Amino acid sequence: MKPAPFAYERPETIEEALAVLAVHGDEAKVLAGGQSLVPMLNMRLLRPSVVVDVNRVPGLDGLRADNGEIRVGALVRQAAFGGSRLVRERLPLAASCVPYVGHFVTRNRGTVGGSIAHADVSAELPLALLVQGGSAVVASTRGRREIPAEELFLTHFTTALAPDELLVETVWPASEPETRTAWVELAQRRGDYALAMVACTLRVEGGLVAEARIGLGSVVDRPSLVPEAAEALVRRGVDAAPEAAVLAARSVEPYDNLHASARYQRHLVRVLVERAVRQAWA
Amino acid sequence: MGLREIELRVNDRRVRETVEPRLLLSDFLRHTLGLTGTHVGCEHGVCGACTVRLDGDSVRSCLLLAVQADGSAVETVEGLARGRELHPLQRAFHEEHALQCGFCTPGILMAAADLLERDGTPSRETIVDMLSGHLCRCTGYEPIVEAIAKVANR
Amino acid sequence: MGVATERKTWVGQALPRLEDAALLRGEGRFLDDLDPVKNAGHAAILRSQLAHARITRLDPSAALEHPGVIGVLTGEDVAAMSRPFPVGVEAAPPYRAAAHEVARYAGEPLAVVVAKDRYVAEDALELIEVEYGPLDPVMDADAGAVVSDRSFRYGDPEAALARADLVVRERFRSPRWSCTPVECYAVVADWNAAAGSLTAWANFQGPFTLHSVAAGALGLTGSKLRLITPPDSGGSFGIKATVYVYVVLMGLASRKLGVPVRWIEDRLEHLLGSSAATERLTEVEAGFSADGELLALRYDVVEDVGAYIRAPEPATLYRMHGSLSGAYRVRNVATRNRVVLTNRCPTGLNRGFGGPQLYFALERTLAIAAGRLGVDPAELARRNLVRARDFPYRTPSGGLYDSGDYEACLDRALELARYEERRREQADARAEGRLVGIGLACIVEPSISNMGYITLAQTSAERMQALPKSGNAEAATVAINALGGITVQVGTTPQGQGHATVAAQVAADALGVDPGVIEVVTALDTSTSAWTVASGNYSSRFSGVGAGAVHKAATRLAAKLRAIAAAELGCTADEVDLHDGKAHANGGNVSLRRLAGVAHWNPDALPPGIEPGLHETAFDAAPNLAPPDEDDRVASSAAHGFIVDVAVVEVDRETGQVAVLDYVTVHDAGTLLNPLIVDGQVRGGFAHGAAAALFERIVYDQDGNLLTGSFVDYLCPTAPDLPAVTIGHLSTPSPFTTLGAKGLGEGNTMSAPAVLANAVADALGIEGVEIPLTPARVWELLANGGTHGSPVGPLLPEDKAP
């Protein structure tokens, strides 16, 4: 399987990159890590006229703390993100999901920004960004804007980015020290797209759940929070885990797919949410 | 469409070629340079047979365009041994019968070499996890794990 | 012969492989690494998008105009330029290398574009205009067209069933799956117009009966089809038997376009249009006495071979014919074998080749019977196993089991598995509400197929009209050149099974040298190598007839060396002993190199009656492989290994995940030629078997589209996904093979699906389990009720109805 022909641009600055996107719009595809894009090019599922390789654009691979937030350049590789001490200490939920992201070799090349922009509902990083309450900074020749995660992911493989916009950075609010997290997913093989995916954070104050966030991936059409489940935990603590789990299961409308029936997916949500809450609490 | 000239190092030798942008790095290595030790098993990044090292990082060469390697250093399995002397991983694979048909082997050797350079003493669990990105249909994997663990524990 | 000394033989040693150095260095020579002929065009195949359709229009003109395109071969060309492939069953649509007027499976070749490189060829593919007139596809084996219906009956199954105290009647499904080697098909075809011949390189694994089939389709006599295999092949497991179809397709392209044609299959094509194991539906009726004696077995088999019967099918159905009774003494056996067609890719060899399908049905039946009789399954097996004193044992359907001690093997497996202790642990776990199960299977693993078994697809009367088929022979050549260099050639086309190393060990023993000095050639050239129609690597035949042929050739050569040495040393040939690279006698010695020198440079000095040259070709024919007799009995394999597997699993009640806590397998494969390679083959066979049991299934939708079309959806297990396996060995050498070795490597592919299904059934306390045992599928079994105690945690009300 070989790609269809395309023109190749390799901008050396952000301005050049944005200019190319402004000219070509949705005829162009941004190439960052390539772990998602190139298979689609090889299978000819995508045939962009222009491939814009942004790997040489400087300034997009920084990872730093800034005033209670962690700013992650779009080109930070998944391996670097997972291995970063800053991430492990301040974004424990995100750190815990990285081992599930693809495989050792693909994480060397795949980027945080690329995964977010690709918006595969079975991918870990978009869900992690959502649950963490983060946002994406996108740039175009028209300027920059910051899109909160709740508004970023629209549906399968679709974000709120306009065709001429480039995701340049993601912003992750650092977790409070008393935050407990858990990442639970079930896949048939290690590293596969999960059949169901749950991310849970609990902010604990005085032995009580002061704040909770529960997010779901895979069984939905975009990464989704389940606020009613979170509220149950805040109201009644971890004992409400089964109730929260039922609320989460009822919030999704999966389709039968090749690997799992709709009712199995719904059931998994229930099982995995309960496991995630208990795991986070422990 | 729009041929590009690229210059890179491959197994420490300088290479300069003109390529189509869509030429995959795997095809460039195998057919432009004749380095057929890197194998192609799926062309969608799952089987791992095509794994090489780009500026030290193990990567899927079927998911890279040759043009992207411009200015970089690529290492393939042909560069692992030092002349007649096999790399410790190659020796261990031989001793442990960690290859049968040998088609998946170069990709695993390159990823394992990368792993051992990042983490000199990986746990068995880490080795097994790294291997989740590689498909072998011959060995059942256990001898491969043994071989890598053997080198890790030396 | 020679001085009797206690000397360690190379055969039997766990010698690390001679093949490794090149492969580890990336210096393997797989076909796509080679350019056997210059200026080859590169091919891409246009494949049908529909499972069943009339091809009402196919217009390549735009493709022909595309820069870089050399030409196009259409289905119409293929129909005009070739005959349908010969096949063992008449009543089926003719099958050619490409479809012409009707496409019968999604992925069937319609045309071939040849261009200056593969990238351009794929660009041009998109320019071919195709119009389809859709037809209804048949996707269920139950609804498939029946093209062969043969019944067989041995003893008196009806009477035995009538007197049985328990009759188990169940239906089993073995789904379609594939071993998917990491290297796909590869062909380079070079038509020689002047000679009217085709030279083709392909990573073909045999059997070389298929060489005749390909030649027949091309209208060539055998000698006009020169088929060459490359030195290395990246796994096959049966799948690369049917690359011959593409040899024909690319051969025709080369013939039409006047250039050599190179085709390297990609993964999507491989999953869509190469080959697969048959899907089989088996209804079993098994009669037992109250004390557990298996009195009768009746099978009713529906075998789905895909859209066409493609040679060597329906071999999957008949390969195991001599083992229909499995490991058991039952004498009353019947089977009705129906071959059906559905609109899916044609099937072929796949590791285990009929064994997984047979044993899934048989061993599940035994497990179910044990449950209903209230007998432990190990005990039920023990009561019925063929006894050690009964070997060689003739089965009701004509199989001849060479040797074995099945009960000792069972005992060893139970011991290694700590069976009693595990049953106690299981009882404790159940009391806690945990779903722990134990499964077992006893598998006779046949090897070295009788090339005549396929004629069972015809009636006895029909067989009388044609040339009988029988036997399985291999050829090997051992030669010593003028400088004393030793070369062995053997026609077994390995793909990683270490034939070169073992051949070197065998020859080294005969010639008294170190295996490392022997060059072994396993690449096969039908014009220049010694080979038979049975040549190739399938039915685990190498350790029987492959190694046997090497042994015979090397032994003859050794006799010649001793005769020449006797003249040099002044003694008789009998007094000469070959070891350490020299011929020894009378207190003196002479090097092999010198003996070679005499034979080559000074043939005048050779003893009378000794021909010049040192070059022996020998054929090893497995014995007892007669054609089927008039009562439809056939010894379908020459040697029979035996395996007992025991597995312990725990099923997660909430998610359906199956954790394999322990897997033990005890093997009897007779004499082991190289224990290191043996264990490697066992592990590989197990990996494939576990894959079929837990992960892999080829899935089409009702419209005939392939849903498992890439490695993203066709899930092959990787290292973290496979359970560990403990291997034990027992050995009853075969009295029938030259070295006493039996074939192995397929056994655990035959056993693991049954063993793991038995274990999960035991864990869930139900009888109806189907593979693959993915979490979703196991959970559905739980959710539908029927387990020890309550099923999976309370379902949401809306999820209760399936």
Side-chain angles (χ1 to χ4, degrees):
Chain A
M1 306 109 64
K2 314 296 182 188
F6 51 78
Y8 173 77
E9 296 284 346
R10 193 172 76 198
E12 306 270 315
T13 68
I14 185 78
E15 290 76 25
E16 274 177 43
L18 298 181
V20 172
L21 290 177
V23 167
H24 294 287
D26 58 15
E27 279 299 306
K29 269 292 184 187
V30 171
L31 172 61
Q35 305 303 284
S36 303
L37 176 65
V38 182
M40 299 213 272
L41 294 178
N42 290 349
M43 295 195 219
R44 302 197 177 205
L45 294 171
L46 285 177
R47 295 154 191 278
S49 316
V50 185
V51 167
V52 187
D53 178 355
V54 295
N55 285 282
R56 311 282 170 126
V57 173
L60 296 184
D61 60 355
L63 203 169
R64 62 189 175 93
D66 175 24
N67 215 16
E69 292 176 325
I70 311 297
R71 293 189 162 262
V72 182
L75 286 179
V76 170
R77 306 286 171 188
Q78 292 153 6
F81 183 73
S84 151
R85 195 161 130 217
L86 196 57
V87 171
R88 280 185 278 121
E89 286 173 359
R90 308 302 305 280
L91 302 175
L93 180 73
S96 71
C97 85
V98 175
Y100 295 100
V101 176
H103 303 278
F104 169 73
V105 169
T106 64
R107 292 193 291 269
N108 285 340
R109 198 72 198 155
T111 62
V112 175
S115 178
I116 302 286
H118 185 60
D120 184 334
V121 73
S122 300
E124 286 77 11
L125 290 170
L127 179 61
L129 186 71
L130 176 72
V131 174
Q132 202 63 24
S135 58
V137 177
V138 310
S140 71
T141 51
R142 300 171 282 116
R144 289 195 170 210
R145 60 188 184 118
E146 187 164 332
I147 312 175
E150 297 84 48
E151 294 164 32
L152 177 63
F153 304 111
L154 300 180
T155 186
H156 293 279
F157 302 111
T158 311
T159 64
L161 267 68
D164 65 336
E165 286 180 314
L166 177 70
L167 192 151
V168 292
E169 187 176 67
T170 48
V171 184
W172 305 67
S175 291
E176 301 294 321
E178 327 74 42
T179 305
R180 307 182 194 179
T181 71
W183 192 281
V184 181
E185 58 176 80
L186 189 149
Q188 284 181 209
R189 298 177 310 172
R190 183 83 58 89
D192 273 354
Y193 296 122
L195 299 181
M197 193 159 68
V198 175
C200 172
T201 63
L202 304 173
R203 186 167 63 77
V204 179
E205 246 172 46
L208 299 172
V209 177
E211 192 190 337
R213 285 168 82 80
I214 294 180
L216 306 177
S218 294
V219 298
V220 283
D221 61 1
R222 56 180 179 152
S224 306
L225 293 170
V226 193
E228 59 272 31
E231 277 159 31
L233 293 176
V234 169
R235 263 198 328 270
R236 296 205 300 117
V238 166
D239 286 345
E243 179 196 333
V246 169
L247 288 167
R250 289 214 159 111
S251 76
V252 298
E253 288 174 344
Y255 296 103
D256 288 340
N257 67 41
L258 176 62
H259 300 294
S261 68
R263 71 172 186 160
Y264 177 62
Q265 292 173 62
R266 221 180 357 256
H267 177 82
L268 270 188
V269 166
R270 182 168 161 199
V271 170
L272 298 186
V273 165
E274 188 166 344
R275 288 187 184 180
V277 170
R278 296 201 190 284
Q279 196 178 305
W281 182 256
Chain B
M1 214 163 159
L3 296 177
R4 306 283 281 231
E5 192 175 287
I6 59 175
E7 194 172 320
L8 59 153
R9 296 194 79 77
V10 180
N11 296 330
D12 230 32
R13 277 187 161 177
R14 203 170 122 241
V15 161
R16 190 195 280 153
E17 294 286 345
T18 305
V19 300
E20 241 193 296
R22 63 172 171 165
L23 179 68
L24 300 174
L25 180 62
S26 42
D27 288 334
F28 176 73
L29 293 169
R30 288 179 52 74
H31 299 298
T32 310
L33 301 185
L35 291 167
T36 55
T38 301
H39 299 144
V40 172
C42 76
E43 288 180 320
H44 47 288
V46 178
C47 77
C50 70
T51 303
V52 299
R53 294 176 75 178
L54 179 71
D55 298 325
D57 292 333
S58 47
V59 293
R60 306 279 199 239
S61 63
C62 75
L63 299 187
L64 275 161
L65 308 172
V67 289
Q68 292 187 277
D70 185 26
S72 285
V74 175
E75 296 162 73
T76 71
V77 65
E78 287 94 336
L80 262 190
R82 291 266 161 273
R84 289 190 59 86
E85 193 181 320
L86 292 178
H87 187 282
L89 279 169
Q90 290 168 318
R91 273 205 310 277
F93 271 54
H94 175 62
E95 292 160 8
E96 296 298 319
H97 191 34
L99 67 154
Q100 292 183 21
C101 81
F103 200 77
C104 73
T105 308
I108 294 178
L109 286 172
M110 300 316 288
D114 181 11
L115 176 68
L116 290 176
E117 280 175 36
R118 288 166 195 259
D119 175 358
T121 52
S123 66
R124 203 178 173 84
E125 170 62 31
T126 301
I127 295 170
V128 169
D129 187 72
M130 179 275 282
L131 287 174
S132 70
H134 293 269
L135 181 65
C136 170
R137 303 246 65 183
C138 291
T139 65
Y141 303 106
E142 190 58 32
I144 298 175
V145 176
E146 286 299 323
I148 298 171
K150 192 173 196 177
V151 177
N153 292 327
R154 280 195 192 132
Chain C
M1 68 142 255
V3 178
T5 37
E6 270 311 320
R7 190 172 303 128
K8 208 168 157 201
T9 58
W10 289 106
V11 166
Q13 287 195 43
L15 189 70
R17 300 190 326 164
L18 305 175
E19 294 91 327
D20 287 352
L23 293 170
L24 287 165
R25 287 174 177 273
E27 289 164 21
R29 286 166 299 153
F30 302 88
L31 185 51
D32 191 43
D33 301 342
L34 308 174
D35 272 323
V37 59
K38 271 172 62 94
N39 300 318
H42 294 253
I45 301 175
L46 180 73
R47 296 179 179 271
S48 174
Q49 304 206 337
L50 299 184
H52 195 199
R54 268 185 287 273
I55 310 301
T56 53
R57 190 169 88 94
L58 192 138
D59 182 356
S61 44
L64 288 166
E65 296 301 307
H66 191 71
V69 168
I70 296 165
V72 176
L73 175 84
T74 65
E76 188 178 347
D77 294 330
V78 170
M81 293 166 70
S82 69
R83 300 177 196 153
F85 289 107
V87 71
V89 167
E90 297 306 323
Y95 176 53
R96 286 188 168 86
H100 175 33
E101 285 159 339
V102 180
R104 293 193 171 84
Y105 64 97
E108 182 167 11
L110 302 180
V112 179
V113 171
V114 179
K116 67 172 187 154
D117 67 46
R118 176 69 181 234
Y119 290 71
V120 172
E122 290 189 14
D123 295 340
L125 272 187
E126 296 172 341
L127 300 174
I128 300 181
E129 291 172 21
V130 186
E131 277 170 25
Y132 300 90
L135 299 167
D136 289 328
V138 174
M139 301 312 298
D140 286 317
D142 275 321
V146 179
V147 290
S148 173
D149 189 347
R150 292 270 292 128
S151 289
F152 304 85
R153 183 175 173 279
Y154 311 98
D156 193 347
E158 296 79 15
L161 283 167
R163 70 171 196 271
D165 296 309
L166 170 71
V167 175
V168 173
R169 189 180 188 159
E170 294 293 332
R171 198 167 202 229
F172 304 96
R173 176 193 305 267
S174 276
R176 175 184 272 252
W177 69 287
S178 165
C179 284
T180 65
V182 185
E183 183 205 28
C184 301
Y185 285 178
V187 175
V188 178
D190 184 19
W191 178 262
N192 182 330
S197 68
L198 177 64
T199 300
W201 291 260
N203 48 15
F204 175 62
Q205 74 156 75
F208 276 72
T209 47
L210 300 172
H211 170 269
S212 297
V213 171
L218 289 165
L220 300 174
T221 68
S223 52
K224 292 286 191 181
L225 173 59
R226 182 174 187 175
L227 185 56
I228 304 170
T229 64
D232 294 305
S233 174
S236 177
F237 323 106
I239 294 293
K240 288 172 178 163
T242 41
V243 68
Y244 76 86
V245 172
Y246 291 97
V247 168
V248 169
L249 185 62
M250 298 307 156
L252 294 172
S254 177
R255 181 172 185 174
K256 177 181 178 183
L257 303 179
V259 295
V261 173
R262 180 188 188 91
W263 174 69
I264 307 301
E265 184 189 46
D266 68 41
R267 181 58 59 185
L268 266 53
E269 293 188 272
H270 186 81
L271 292 171
L272 186 60
S274 61
S275 188
T278 59
E279 173 168 23
R280 181 179 300 182
L281 304 170
T282 309
E283 189 172 290
V284 177
E285 228 179 323
F288 293 83
S289 70
D291 65 358
E293 185 188 342
L294 176 60
L295 303 172
L297 272 175
R298 198 151 66 176
Y299 299 98
D300 190 336
V301 177
V302 172
E303 180 93 328
D304 175 4
V305 297
Y308 301 94
I309 304 190
R310 173 173 69 179
E313 297 290 27
T316 311
L317 195 45
Y318 290 101
R319 184 272 175 106
M320 301 292 292
H321 196 86
S323 296
L324 290 174
S325 45
Y328 310 115
R329 294 195 305 276
V330 59
R331 301 304 304 174
N332 305 299
V333 179
T335 184
R336 179 182 182 188
N337 289 347
R338 279 177 284 179
V339 178
V340 302
L341 303 182
T342 61
N343 294 102
R344 299 192 276 189
C345 180
T347 61
L349 283 73
N350 192 65
R351 197 168 197 163
F353 199 33
Q357 293 92 329
L358 171 70
Y359 288 122
F360 188 75
L362 179 57
E363 293 300 301
R364 282 291 305 129
T365 297
L366 266 282
I368 290 169
R372 294 189 193 173
L373 288 168
V375 170
D376 184 283
E379 192 46 43
L380 186 63
R382 187 189 297 282
R383 288 182 199 175
N384 287 287
L385 290 174
V386 172
R387 288 174 288 236
R389 64 176 184 268
D390 294 332
F391 290 94
Y393 176 78
R394 181 74 69 175
T395 71
S397 48
L400 185 61
Y401 292 175
D402 40 352
S403 62
D405 188 343
Y406 293 177
E407 193 167 0
C409 213
L410 175 65
D411 286 336
R412 182 95 185 97
L414 296 176
E415 183 193 331
L416 265 182
R418 297 184 294 115
Y419 190 72
E420 301 292 315
E421 203 180 317
R422 287 295 195 174
R423 282 290 182 200
R424 283 193 296 272
E425 287 170 12
Q426 178 185 38
D428 292 341
R430 280 198 177 141
E432 292 168 21
R434 288 165 50 215
L435 302 175
V436 173
I438 304 176
L440 158 105
C442 300
I443 301 293
V444 173
E445 180 181 1
S447 55
I448 317 171
S449 286
N450 182 342
M451 304 314 283
Y453 72 65
I454 188 61
T455 59
L456 281 174
Q458 301 163 313
T459 64
S460 175
E462 286 165 344
R463 289 198 291 274
M464 301 289 193
Q465 317 283 344
L467 184 67
K469 291 190 161 84
S470 69
N472 192 304
E474 187 51 86
T477 300
V478 181
I480 303 181
N481 64 26
L483 297 176
I486 305 168
T487 306
V488 171
Q489 178 265 319
V490 63
T492 53
T493 61
Q495 312 89 21
Q497 296 87 349
H499 294 184
T501 299
V502 176
Q505 289 172 262
V506 171
D509 278 343
L511 297 171
V513 300
D514 186 293
V517 308
I518 300 177
E519 282 296 308
V520 183
V521 175
T522 54
L524 195 155
D525 180 331
T526 57
S527 290
T528 59
S529 306
W531 59 284
T532 72
V533 290
S535 282
N537 189 26
Y538 61 94
S539 77
S540 312
R541 61 195 286 279
F542 169 77
S543 53
V545 291
V550 173
H551 175 77
K552 287 184 170 169
T555 300
R556 274 191 218 159
L557 197 55
K560 189 164 181 177
L561 289 172
R562 280 199 292 277
I564 300 171
E568 296 280 306
L569 295 170
C571 61
T572 65
D574 285 345
E575 293 172 301
V576 177
D577 187 50
L578 299 175
H579 63 89
D580 298 315
K582 302 187 180 72
H584 302 256
N586 261 359
N589 65 67
V590 58
S591 71
L592 246 58
R593 191 185 160 120
R594 181 172 166 92
L595 295 176
V598 171
H600 287 287
W601 297 102
N602 192 13
D604 190 62
L606 287 172
I610 307 280
E611 284 185 349
L614 293 170
H615 188 110
E616 293 293 335
T617 295
F619 289 77
D620 190 25
N624 306 313
L625 298 182
D629 67 17
E630 60 189 9
D631 296 317
D632 287 335
R633 282 182 298 237
V634 71
S636 41
S637 296
H640 297 81
F642 185 62
I643 301 177
V644 179
D645 289 4
V646 180
V648 182
V649 305
E650 179 161 2
V651 177
D652 183 323
R653 194 187 270 288
E654 290 185 316
T655 64
Q657 285 169 297
V658 176
V660 180
L661 304 178
D662 194 31
Y663 198 105
V664 164
T665 180
V666 175
H667 279 251
D668 176 359
T671 303
L672 299 185
L673 304 180
N674 181 323
L676 186 64
I677 291 178
V678 163
D679 272 10
Q681 292 307 302
V682 170
R683 289 183 189 287
F686 171 70
H688 270 126
L694 300 170
F695 293 93
E696 295 181 33
R697 187 168 74 106
I698 295 173
V699 183
Y700 291 80
D701 67 18
Q702 281 306 308
D703 295 327
N705 300 306
L706 178 65
L707 298 181
T708 50
S710 78
F711 275 160
V712 173
D713 285 311
Y714 187 77
L715 303 179
C716 308
T718 59
D721 309 311
L722 285 178
V725 57
T726 303
I727 304 173
H729 290 288
L730 218 80
S731 172
T732 61
S734 172
F736 299 152
T737 62
T738 300
L739 299 175
K742 302 173 182 175
L744 59 92
E746 293 183 83
N748 294 104
T749 312
M750 298 181 185
S751 63
V755 175
L756 290 169
N758 283 350
V760 170
D762 188 46
L764 303 189
I766 62 177
E767 289 182 347
V769 297
E770 286 204 342
I771 53 171
L773 299 157
T774 64
R777 292 165 64 96
V778 172
W779 183 85
E780 295 291 345
L781 294 173
L782 281 164
N784 290 337
T787 182
H788 297 286
S790 63
V792 56
L795 292 179
L796 295 174
E798 59 265 39
D799 286 331
K800 279 185 178 150

